[in-house]
Amino acid sequence: MAREHIAQYRDGTRPQARDEDFDRLKRYEDFTTIDWIQDSMIERNRRLRAARNQSIPYRGPRGEVTLAWLWSRLQTVAYAGQSWFVVTLVGIGIGFNAAIISIVTEWLSDIKMGYCSDGWWLNQQFCCWEIEGGDEDTCEAWHQWSDVMLARWIVYVIFACLFSFVAAHLVRSLAKYAAGSGISEIKCIIAGFVMKGFLGFWTFLIKSVTLPLVIASGLSVGKEGPSVHVACCIGNLIASLFKRFSRSQGKMREILTASSAAGVAVAFGSPIGGVLFSIEEMSSVFSIKTMWRSFFCALVATVTLSAMNPYRSGKLVLFQVTYDRDWHFFEIIFFVILGLFGGLYGAFVVKFNLKVAEFRRRYLGNYAILEAVTLAVVTAMIGWFNHFMRIDMTESMEILFRECDGASDYDHLCQTAYQWPMVNSLFLATVGRAALVVISYGCKVPAGIFVPSMAIGATFGRMIGIIVKAINRAYPTSGIFSVCQPDVPCITPGTYALLGAAAALSGVMRLTVTVVVIMFELTGALTYILPTMIVLLVTKAVGDFLGTTGIADEMIRFNGYPFLEKDDHAYNVPVSRVMRADLKTLPVSGLTVRDIEKILSSTDVKGFPVVSADGNRTLIGFIDRTEVQYVLENARKVQDVGAETAVSFAAHPDDHEDDDGLSGLAPGPAVGLDEEISLDIMESTASHGVLKLWPWVNQTPLTVSPQLPLEIVMQLFKRMGPRVILVEDHGALVGLVTVKDVLRFTMTELDDRHSPWNEHRFDGVVDEAWSWGSDVADRGMSWLRTRIGRS
């Protein structure tokens, strides 16, 4: 069945039911795969040459210090410290950019409500700096746009429309990759796939400019996810200026991993949480060296952000708080409720956001600007009438996380007389924001889901906290509250908001340890680590029961990005069912330059297996297409090469004699596209009438047997990172397999059976909940009618 599907896709024919799968298959070809083995080999050769150069004695005849010796020592020190220097520059750039975005976002968010008479460039917080809490009713310098409620509402909606229009237009016109969160794509890039332009200058510039506009427009999206994308753009741009990183894909990925950690660190003020995020979410292979560089980059970025102090409060984030009250064991019951909410929320958002994304791709592809503007206007029109949806989500969380200790009270949040209207407002904010997140995340503007999810969890958690506090006030002598001290508040609703935010974030992203550390660094309260762990474990258990994965992984699968999952799957099929058998091979001898050029022009494969010329297809090695093209283009510069010049892919024993270019290098692996020595090798191996390509032939390619299980091949791809794995049977080449071949097979044949998203189980839970709720409602109505009839 699988081979039929794959054959149909390759022949150009396909079943009607698989049109969407075919579109995703075509998108696989938009990515270039990095061969990590070749990249490591080239880097190894460079280290060998560097070590050989350092071993050359630069001292004088009697051991005296010379300028040449000093220069060699300086080069050694500079080379050793270059990585840390680059990481420092990246961290400073990320911290500076995050501070500017935070300042601009706050000003744009407040300009929708009014302006400061002391200076138009001041937001409400800075305008009312000397007023306790910055209350607009007591701050004379802050002026609302009108005293009429309807006029203020109209101005609010107009600003939201304007901000969203400008952002969507800039993204569509100048940088299409600036749309969305970017985390899914960066995961693929770090895993070894190349998306040209995704980390370029224009993407960085447009995303940095439009991100404050999008957040200020009021759309139910966040800036934390896009901050990771912007941080990786900064890391890519700075590292590209240094030759050591621009020519090594492996070292560039180390910088990108460190940049992603710094992006989360400045977004949440959590350097350790950023490092854990890069380990848990972004990178599938994480070395100790990369961890230290990620930690250092996150630290530098956080220190830079702290030095700029964008909130003028000495805090790294607006909603940073410190709790000084302890929790009680009876509250674990309510912590479990928050965990259940987090798991169900994550499943709900992932399921229905994918439905919306499918609808958006099918019907709204040409209306990206109109869609963003419509969503912003609808969100502004609805959000105006709810206190917690009207203000910025980050500011909303800062309010919800507060303790009721006599400080500024936002809209009577801490007053007992208003507790039930407040519960109603929080409930409506939870439901409304969740619905808006489902339809807004994925629109063609910079859009993250971290903070919207946390805001939803915070409103729900605060609602639960107020309810628990009301129960405590109503029944203070109940046995469950016997541990409470009479003169000290027993329940702190702000902590419930914090735990609810953690549960929602964990539910939608499927993160655990990272969220615990981030929440600890936000609050500084060591006593609330255990409640956070309890909540997140319940959230994870619910998510595992429903079979959900994180929204980033689901978007990778939905968009058809070539990314192998971390989880192992038992497909129970051999690699022979997945491999390509119709190969374009090159005989080890017997071809001319004209033949090679004809083969290159008539094929588009990424590489060629080199086989024996006797027709037995005995595997000799493998050579990349780019290397063949490079040698053909540059060989004419150093030797006499014509169309009829013979080409040889085999090395003779005397080819290694007196060869400085290849000295110290292993005879098996190819030298790769190492421009530092490629021209020297061409000169040293030049022979009259023969073009020798053997230095670029990998004589020890990774090979497997056709009977090897597919799961083992997937492990080889994930852990070793080859671009191609050759399949040979008793020394004879029978096929090859790439990551894209594996993904095609798993998607066409096994995607439905092994999808980590178990929609049937989720639908069953929803149906059971609906039936239970309907039954309770019917019983309630029957009881009410009975009581009315008796009266």
Side-chain angles (χ1 to χ4, degrees):
M1 186 65 180
R3 303 192 73 168
E4 292 176 1
H5 279 306
I6 296 173
Q8 286 172 328
Y9 285 122
R10 290 175 180 168
D11 295 341
T13 62
R14 60 190 186 275
Q16 294 295 325
R18 290 287 183 167
D19 285 342
E20 295 180 5
D21 286 348
F22 180 74
D23 293 337
R24 288 196 289 174
L25 286 175
K26 290 193 300 182
R27 284 195 291 275
Y28 284 162
E29 305 305 327
D30 297 335
F31 293 82
T32 302
T33 309
I34 296 174
D35 193 330
W36 292 115
I37 294 180
Q38 186 186 64
D39 187 76
S40 301
M41 174 190 61
I42 294 175
E43 189 62 27
R44 170 187 174 275
N45 291 341
R46 288 171 180 155
R47 289 198 305 269
L48 289 174
R49 292 198 306 274
R52 184 179 58 185
N53 293 334
Q54 292 176 6
S55 64
I56 299 176
Y58 289 103
R59 290 180 177 268
R62 290 174 293 181
E64 64 270 16
V65 175
T66 62
L67 291 178
W69 183 85
L70 289 175
W71 178 246
S72 67
R73 297 302 98 184
L74 288 175
Q75 284 183 317
T76 302
V77 173
Y79 185 83
Q82 190 180 70
S83 297
W84 297 102
F85 176 71
V86 172
V87 168
T88 302
L89 290 181
V90 171
I92 293 174
I94 293 173
F96 180 81
N97 180 264
I100 297 299
I101 289 178
S102 298
I103 293 171
V104 175
T105 300
E106 288 297 313
W107 181 79
L108 290 175
S109 298
D110 289 343
I111 204 67
K112 295 189 300 181
M113 309 296 296
Y115 65 94
C116 183
S117 59
D118 293 341
W120 60 268
W121 58 89
L122 298 176
N123 62 13
Q124 183 178 353
Q125 180 187 9
F126 291 158
C127 183
C128 306
W129 185 255
E130 297 180 355
I131 307 299
E132 180 68 23
D135 191 353
E136 61 185 18
D137 296 331
T138 58
C139 180
E140 297 181 356
W142 182 259
H143 298 275
Q144 296 183 351
W145 289 111
S146 175
D147 295 331
V148 181
M149 178 68 72
L150 179 61
R152 294 207 305 267
W153 177 71
I154 293 175
V155 172
Y156 183 87
V157 174
I158 290 175
F159 270 114
C161 177
L162 177 63
F163 291 161
S164 60
F165 173 79
V166 173
H169 181 72
L170 288 175
V171 169
R172 182 168 185 176
S173 302
L174 300 177
K176 64 177 183 178
Y177 284 144
S181 172
I183 290 181
S184 301
E185 291 83 355
I186 292 173
K187 285 187 67 173
C188 295
I189 291 173
I190 293 178
F193 298 93
V194 178
M195 297 178 65
K196 295 181 179 180
F198 190 81
L199 299 177
F201 174 77
W202 280 107
T203 301
F204 157 73
L205 179 63
I206 298 303
K207 198 151 193 172
S208 298
V209 171
T210 56
L211 187 54
L213 291 170
V214 172
I215 302 304
S217 70
L219 279 170
S220 294
V221 295
K223 67 178 181 179
E224 276 64 22
S227 295
V228 177
H229 184 190
V230 172
C232 289
C233 288
I234 294 174
N236 178 71
L237 293 172
I238 293 178
S240 298
L241 301 177
F242 297 84
K243 189 176 180 180
R244 181 181 178 184
F245 296 93
S246 62
R247 66 186 183 182
S248 174
Q249 297 291 348
K251 291 188 177 298
M252 182 63 76
R253 263 54 187 181
E254 291 179 2
I255 296 296
L256 295 181
T257 303
S259 300
S260 67
V264 174
V266 296
F268 291 103
S270 174
I272 301 177
V275 175
L276 290 176
F277 175 82
S278 63
I279 296 175
E280 189 174 358
E281 178 68 13
M282 302 304 296
S283 181
S284 57
V285 179
F286 206 91
S287 64
I288 298 298
K289 180 176 64 175
T290 304
M291 184 187 70
W292 278 112
R293 289 177 180 171
S294 299
F295 178 77
F296 184 75
C297 186
L299 178 63
V300 172
T302 307
V303 169
T304 303
L305 180 63
S306 179
M308 295 192 67
N309 196 13
Y311 302 110
R312 293 298 184 268
S313 61
K315 299 178 180 179
L316 296 176
V317 290
L318 186 60
F319 49 86
Q320 188 173 15
V321 294
T322 301
Y323 296 120
D324 54 5
R325 298 171 187 166
D326 206 347
W327 58 282
H328 307 89
F329 276 96
F330 72 84
E331 293 183 273
I332 293 179
I333 301 173
F334 306 104
F335 297 161
V336 171
I337 294 176
L338 296 178
L340 291 172
F341 167 79
L344 293 174
Y345 165 79
F348 170 81
V349 169
V350 170
K351 176 181 174 63
F352 290 103
N353 181 256
L354 290 177
K355 301 292 185 184
V356 173
E358 184 179 350
F359 177 85
R360 178 180 290 116
R361 173 180 293 171
R362 183 172 298 178
Y363 300 107
L364 303 179
N366 298 324
Y367 305 99
I369 298 178
L370 179 61
E371 179 197 3
V373 173
T374 302
L375 288 173
V377 171
V378 171
T379 303
M381 294 175 66
I382 297 175
W384 172 267
F385 300 99
N386 186 280
H387 302 285
F388 301 101
M389 295 180 65
R390 183 189 309 174
I391 59 179
D392 178 71
M393 287 180 288
T394 306
E395 185 180 355
S396 172
M397 283 190 288
E398 188 265 340
I399 293 170
L400 294 172
F401 288 171
R402 290 176 185 170
E403 294 183 75
C404 294
D405 53 0
S408 57
D409 185 14
Y410 178 80
D411 198 45
H412 313 295
L413 180 63
C414 292
Q415 297 185 21
T416 306
Y418 294 90
Q419 62 184 7
W420 296 118
M422 194 58 59
V423 167
N424 180 62
S425 179
L426 290 167
F427 176 76
L428 293 177
T430 301
V431 175
R433 182 81 74 186
L436 291 172
V437 166
V438 168
I439 63 176
S440 299
Y441 181 70
C443 62
K444 300 304 180 183
V445 293
I449 202 171
F450 281 36
V451 163
S453 297
M454 293 178 67
I456 292 169
T459 53
F460 180 83
R462 187 80 185 204
M463 180 187 71
I464 297 297
I466 293 176
I467 293 175
V468 176
K469 188 174 183 179
I471 296 174
N472 179 34
R473 289 179 180 271
Y475 305 98
T477 59
S478 175
I480 193 175
F481 300 117
S482 60
V483 296
C484 298
Q485 300 180 12
D487 299 331
V488 178
C490 183
I491 305 298
T492 306
T495 60
Y496 285 74
L498 178 75
L499 297 175
L505 177 59
S506 176
V508 77
M509 292 298 297
R510 302 291 285 145
L511 299 173
T512 52
V513 180
T514 299
V515 178
V516 172
V517 174
I518 287 176
M519 290 302 167
F520 166 67
E521 291 184 283
L522 284 178
T523 62
L526 185 63
T527 55
Y528 279 89
I529 284 187
L530 183 57
T532 306
M533 294 174 65
I534 294 173
V535 169
L536 296 189
L537 285 176
V538 175
T539 300
K540 176 175 171 52
V542 173
D544 291 343
F545 173 76
L546 297 176
T548 59
T549 56
I551 187 70
D553 293 327
E554 289 294 339
M555 294 309 297
I556 288 175
R557 190 175 299 104
F558 175 80
N559 290 317
Y561 297 147
F563 182 79
L564 288 175
E565 299 292 339
K566 297 180 182 179
D567 298 331
D568 297 329
H569 300 286
Y571 295 123
N572 196 28
V573 295
V575 69
S576 58
R577 291 187 58 186
V578 185
M579 70 181 188
R580 303 182 188 182
D582 51 339
L583 305 180
K584 301 295 182 181
T585 61
L586 298 176
V588 69
S589 61
L591 296 179
T592 64
V593 172
R594 186 193 306 276
D595 297 330
I596 297 294
E597 292 176 342
K598 184 177 180 180
I599 293 174
L600 291 175
S601 62
S602 61
T603 62
D604 58 354
V605 296
K606 301 297 183 181
F608 302 92
V610 179
V611 298
S612 59
D614 55 7
N616 293 327
R617 293 174 66 93
T618 302
L619 182 62
I620 305 299
F622 187 87
I623 187 169
D624 281 344
R625 179 190 187 92
T626 54
E627 294 171 355
V628 176
Q629 293 173 329
Y630 177 83
V631 174
L632 290 180
E633 292 172 1
N634 291 275
R636 294 183 175 90
K637 301 177 183 178
V638 297
Q639 61 186 80
D640 185 16
V641 175
E644 301 302 327
T645 301
V647 177
S648 175
F649 295 96
H652 297 283
D654 56 351
D655 286 333
H656 289 278
E657 297 179 0
D658 300 327
D659 191 344
D660 294 334
L662 292 174
S663 60
L665 305 184
V671 296
L673 282 182
D674 191 349
E675 297 184 5
E676 292 183 356
I677 62 171
S678 290
L679 293 178
D680 294 337
I681 293 175
M682 291 180 195
E683 293 179 356
S684 60
T685 59
S687 178
H688 180 71
V690 178
L691 176 61
K692 297 183 178 181
L693 286 173
W694 65 265
W696 291 269
V697 175
N698 184 1
Q699 301 172 35
T700 57
L702 190 59
T703 61
V704 297
S705 170
Q707 291 79 30
L708 191 70
L710 179 60
E711 303 93 278
I712 307 301
V713 175
M714 294 177 68
Q715 289 295 326
L716 290 175
F717 276 120
K718 287 188 287 187
R719 297 182 181 182
M720 301 188 67
R723 180 181 297 167
V724 174
I725 295 179
L726 301 178
V727 184
E728 61 175 351
D729 189 11
H730 301 288
L733 179 68
V734 294
L736 63 80
V737 62
T738 65
V739 172
K740 296 176 182 179
D741 295 325
V742 174
L743 290 168
R744 287 190 188 96
F745 178 80
T746 56
M747 185 181 67
T748 56
E749 172 69 4
L750 302 164
D751 189 52
D752 294 335
R753 288 188 296 168
H754 293 87
S755 175
W757 169 248
N758 193 334
E759 296 189 25
H760 299 293
R761 183 177 294 176
F762 178 78
D763 293 339
V765 172
V766 173
D767 292 340
E768 288 291 336
W770 179 262
S771 300
W772 178 81
S774 300
D775 184 59
V776 172
D778 291 340
R779 291 182 181 180
M781 292 299 295
S782 299
W783 178 83
L784 183 61
R785 284 194 296 267
T786 302
R787 299 290 294 180
I788 294 174
R790 290 179 179 178
S791 61

